[in-house]
Amino acid sequence: QVQLVESGGGLVQPGGSLRLSCVASRTVNAMGWYRQAPGKQRELVAIINSIGTTNYADSVKGRFTISRDNAKNTVYLQMNSLKPEDTAVYYCNAGPVGLKLYWGQGTQVTVSS
């Protein structure tokens, strides 16, 4: 079992920044962030493995940075130059562990003036 606790969402103006954090209850190789906007499917934002290899959605490249602190079992998502279309619920993801993926409870990010 892996428990994930997210924090850092909120309301920000276009062009602003937010930093999301996700703490895992144990070490997991792959961790990442997904998001789901109203009426849309959940989509990958960024992922990172234990050695720091990353992958980003095209829509966030150059604006978002994923990082992790392995000693703290924590993954971060630094979001800069935020746009209204970044508005969504952001979910932390970990795994697979065995055959299972784990999800956090989600944190709302709203980009609006």
Side-chain angles (χ1 to χ4, degrees), residues 3 6 10-11 14 17 22 32-33 36 38 42 44 49 51 67 72 80 88-89 91 97 99 106 111:
Q3 284 77 45
E6 301 142 336
L11 172 65
S17 298
C22 174
W33 293 94
Q36 187 166 18
R42 192 173 297 190
L44 171 70
N49 67 12
I51 61 171
S67 61
K72 297 180 179 179
N80 298 329
V89 178
Y91 295 92
V97 179
L99 297 177
V111 184

Side-chain angles (χ1 to χ4, degrees), residues 4-52:
L4 301 172
V5 179
E6 301 142 336
S7 60
L11 172 65
V12 64
Q13 292 186 341
S17 298
L18 281 175
R19 188 194 196 204
L20 306 182
S21 300
C22 174
V23 181
S25 58
R26 54 167 283 188
T27 299
V28 183
N29 179 35
M31 297 185 72
W33 293 94
Y34 287 69
R35 66 186 181 188
Q36 187 166 18
K40 294 188 177 181
Q41 289 189 332
R42 192 173 297 190
E43 63 176 3
L44 171 70
V45 176
I47 56 174
I48 186 169
N49 67 12
S50 59
I51 61 171

